[in-house]
Amino acid sequence: MSRGLAPHSWQLVTPIALTGISAIFLRVQSVKQAWWLGWGFGAAYFAFGLSWIVEPFQVDAELYGWMAPFALVLLSGGLALFWGAAFALAQRFSAGNWRLLALIGFWSVMEFLRAYALTGFPWAALAQLGVGPWTFSVLPWLGPQGFAMLKLVMFVPLALLRLRRVWPAAPLVAYLVAIYAALEPLPEDHAVAYTKHSVRLVQPNAPQDEKWDPDKRWDFVRRQVEYSASEPAPDLIVWPETAVPQLLNDAAATLGVISQAANGVPILLGIQREEAGEYFNSAVLLDAQGQPNQIYDKVHLVPFGEYMPFPDLVARLGIYGLASRAGTGYTAGPSQEILPSPVGRFLPLICYEGVFPHDINTRAERPDFLVLVTNDAWFGTYSGPQQHLIQAQMRAAEQGLPMVRVANTGVSAMIDPYGRIVPGGSIPLGQAGYLDVDLPAPLAATFYSKTGDLPWFLLSLVMVLVPALRQRKKQLLNTVG
C-alpha cells in the first residue's frame, strides 16, 4: 500500500489493499490474530513508506549511521502498534460483519491518536495515499482525518463483495458512484485569482553534508545573495530554513549586506538565534535596512532531531539531536502567530510544522497566505521531499489559502489555495535557482478551517460504539435466554 504515497501516488493500491486486509480480518478467529494482522500490515506499510527516515543518519554517518536501521525498525514497528490495536479492539468489541464498522471506527480513532498523541506523527496518513484532484476537492470539507475515514468507509465494506453477496452489496456500489459524481471539480488554473504582489523563491541547493562546512557554507549564502539581487525586484523574497549559517545575535553585518544586495526588498529567511542560553530555530523578516522587524520561533520541534527527550541523560551518553547545532537541542517558541508583511498577513511554518493540519487550524485569525520554509536536504533525494511537498499542498487545500514553500534543496513552489502548484511555479528537486511568482489570492474560509477534526472524531466514536453496544445487547439476551 505504500506505493500510494508520493512519489508514486498509485491510485488503485488503496482500494485493493484496504479491501484485501478487511477480507482477511473477517476470517480471523481471535483478538491475538487480529492484533498481529493489523500490526504486520502496518509495519510493512510504514517500513516501505517511511524508508527515507534513514537519510538523516547518513549525513554524519560516522557518528549517527549505526542508528539508521534502529530508527526505521522502531519507527515502523511503533507506528504499527496503533493499527494493531485498531484491529484487536475491533475483533474484541464486535461480532460478525459488524466487525467491519468497528474496524473503520477503531482505525480512525487510532489515526487520530497517531496524529495527536505525544508530539504526534501523522506522516504517511491514509489521506496521503493516491493524492490527486479528488483529494484536493475533498480536503476543504473533511480535512485529512475525515478524508481518511471516508476512504475506510468506501473500501473496507467491499470485503463483503463475494459472489454470493453481489446483490446485497449493490447499494454500496451505487453509494460509491454517487460520492464520486457529487464531487465538484476544481476550477481551471487560469480561473484562480491572483494578488498584485510578486514573491521570489530562492533555492540554494545546499547538500546537508556541505551546508555547515566552514569551507563551503558561505558559498551558498553568496548564491542566495546573487539570486536576491536580480532585477526586476519582487515585493518579497523568501529564503529557506537555516539559510544563514550563523546565529542571529552575530549576523547584523551579514543581514545588512543581504538587504543591501536586495535593494531593500523585505526578505524572510531562516536562521538560528540564542536568548538567555536557549537556542531557537527561527524565521525572521528583514526590513530595508536588514533589521529583523518580525521574528518567529519554531513551535513544533522534531523529537530526536531538534531536541532529545531526557536531555540530561542522553547528553551523558554523547547523543544529541541530529539537526541541533547547540547542545542537546532547541527550545520551542511560545506559539504560532500571524505576521504582517508587504504582501499580506501570513502564518509562518518551519519544516516539520507543515505536517500538522490541526496546528494550522487553531488560529483565531485567518491569514492571507501560508509560508513554509524548510530544509528538505535532511530527507534525501527521493521519497521524503516529495511526501513533504504533498503535505504542504494538502495544508493549502484544507485552509483555502495559498502557500509559499521554499526548500533548501527543493521542491520550492507557489501553491494555490486549491492545493495545486501554479503553472511554472516550482523549482525542481536538486537544482539551485530562483523564481518570481505572483501570489494567489485566498479563498473564503473552508468548512474544515471552521470545524477542524472534532466532527470526524465524534463520528469515529459512534462507529465504535454501535457494534460494541449491539454485541453487548446480544450477549445479555443470550445470558437471559
Side-chain angles (χ1 to χ4, degrees):
M1 191 168 72
S2 61
R3 288 286 177 170
L5 297 170
H8 307 286
S9 298
W10 290 359
Q11 298 289 331
L12 291 179
V13 296
T14 304
I16 292 172
L18 293 181
T19 301
I21 197 66
S22 301
I24 298 173
F25 172 68
L26 286 176
R27 296 176 177 272
V28 301
Q29 302 297 318
S30 67
V31 172
K32 183 178 180 179
Q33 289 178 350
W35 163 268
W36 284 112
L37 176 65
W39 184 87
F41 182 60
Y45 168 68
F46 290 119
F48 283 99
L50 301 178
S51 58
W52 56 265
I53 198 66
V54 303
E55 296 288 349
F57 299 92
Q58 306 309 314
V59 173
D60 190 353
E62 184 176 348
L63 183 60
Y64 294 108
W66 65 272
M67 298 182 182
F70 294 98
L72 181 59
V73 170
L74 292 175
L75 180 63
S76 57
L79 294 177
L81 295 175
F82 291 96
W83 288 19
F87 279 65
L89 290 169
Q91 176 73 16
R92 171 63 180 83
F93 292 104
S94 61
N97 291 337
W98 285 89
R99 288 186 297 162
L100 293 182
L101 180 61
L103 178 61
I104 295 171
F106 279 114
W107 205 338
S108 298
V109 168
M110 290 301 161
E111 283 295 273
F112 273 103
L113 289 178
R114 186 162 74 87
Y116 283 86
L118 301 177
T119 63
F121 190 71
W123 204 298
L126 297 178
Q128 297 164 27
L129 294 166
V131 172
W134 184 54
T135 305
F136 299 136
S137 296
V138 174
L139 286 174
W141 296 96
L142 306 185
Q145 296 291 354
F147 185 37
M149 183 185 298
L150 176 61
K151 289 184 177 182
L152 293 174
V153 168
M154 291 176 64
F155 302 131
V156 167
L158 294 181
L160 299 174
L161 274 175
R162 304 167 190 168
L163 289 178
R164 66 178 184 275
R165 296 183 180 176
V166 169
W167 290 113
L172 174 62
V173 175
Y175 164 69
L176 300 182
V177 173
I179 288 179
Y180 275 95
L183 292 174
E184 182 179 352
L186 296 176
E188 298 294 331
D189 292 331
H190 60 76
V192 176
Y194 285 84
T195 67
K196 298 180 180 180
H197 301 297
S198 174
V199 179
R200 177 167 297 170
L201 318 180
V202 174
Q203 182 170 301
N205 193 35
Q208 191 59 39
D209 59 349
E210 299 179 5
K211 183 178 175 66
W212 298 96
D213 187 330
D215 297 328
K216 298 180 180 180
R217 59 187 180 183
W218 291 106
D219 292 338
F220 302 118
V221 175
R222 284 189 285 269
R223 181 180 294 173
Q224 293 173 98
V225 170
E226 177 185 347
Y227 293 157
S228 300
S230 297
E231 295 289 345
D235 299 306
L236 176 68
I237 300 172
V238 183
W239 290 18
E241 179 186 14
T242 55
V244 177
Q246 62 186 145
L247 292 174
L248 178 63
N249 312 64
D250 308 318
T254 302
L255 300 182
V257 171
I258 292 171
S259 289
Q260 183 179 10
N263 296 316
V265 175
I267 299 179
L268 178 72
L269 55 77
I271 192 170
Q272 299 170 77
R273 71 183 194 92
E274 181 269 334
E275 182 179 328
E278 296 182 323
Y279 292 83
F280 300 87
N281 185 1
S282 307
V284 302
L285 183 63
L286 306 180
D287 62 18
Q289 288 73 44
Q291 297 298 313
N293 61 9
Q294 299 290 340
I295 299 177
Y296 167 70
D297 298 320
K298 187 176 182 180
V299 174
H300 207 139
L301 301 176
V302 182
F304 303 100
E306 293 174 312
Y307 75 95
M308 295 296 294
F310 311 107
D312 294 337
L313 174 61
V314 297
R316 293 177 184 176
L317 301 175
I319 300 175
Y320 303 95
L322 290 174
S324 172
R325 312 304 301 180
T328 54
Y330 295 112
T331 298
S335 65
Q336 289 181 318
E337 54 185 316
I338 296 172
L339 302 179
S341 81
V343 300
R345 298 162 62 256
F346 70 97
L347 178 67
L349 305 167
I350 300 178
C351 192
Y352 191 55
E353 293 180 316
V355 175
F356 298 91
H358 47 274
D359 286 351
I360 299 174
N361 220 39
T362 58
R363 307 276 67 76
E365 304 174 80
R366 181 171 170 80
D368 299 311
F369 62 103
L370 307 171
V371 176
L372 174 64
V373 294
T374 183
N375 179 22
D376 284 3
W378 283 109
F379 301 151
T381 58
Y382 185 53
S383 62
Q386 300 293 346
Q387 291 174 13
H388 200 213
L389 171 64
I390 284 292
Q391 293 179 76
Q393 294 178 250
M394 293 173 68
R395 301 297 86 83
E398 290 155 8
Q399 300 297 321
L401 294 172
M403 175 185 284
V404 179
R405 184 183 197 269
V406 177
N408 170 22
T409 52
V411 176
S412 298
M414 179 68 76
I415 303 170
D416 74 17
Y418 295 101
R420 303 170 302 190
I421 297 175
V422 304
S426 66
I427 306 173
L429 183 65
Q431 293 186 19
Y434 73 92
L435 188 66
D436 291 344
V437 193
D438 290 336
L439 178 66
L443 302 176
T446 64
F447 181 79
Y448 175 70
S449 70
K450 298 176 181 178
T451 64
D453 293 325
L454 182 59
W456 317 115
F457 179 70
L458 295 177
L459 180 58
S460 67
L461 294 181
V462 171
M463 292 182 177
V464 165
L465 290 173
V466 168
L469 293 174
R470 184 179 184 279
Q471 183 191 34
R472 178 61 176 168
K473 180 180 179 180
K474 185 176 180 180
Q475 291 174 339
L476 290 174
L477 290 175
N478 290 338
T479 301
V480 174

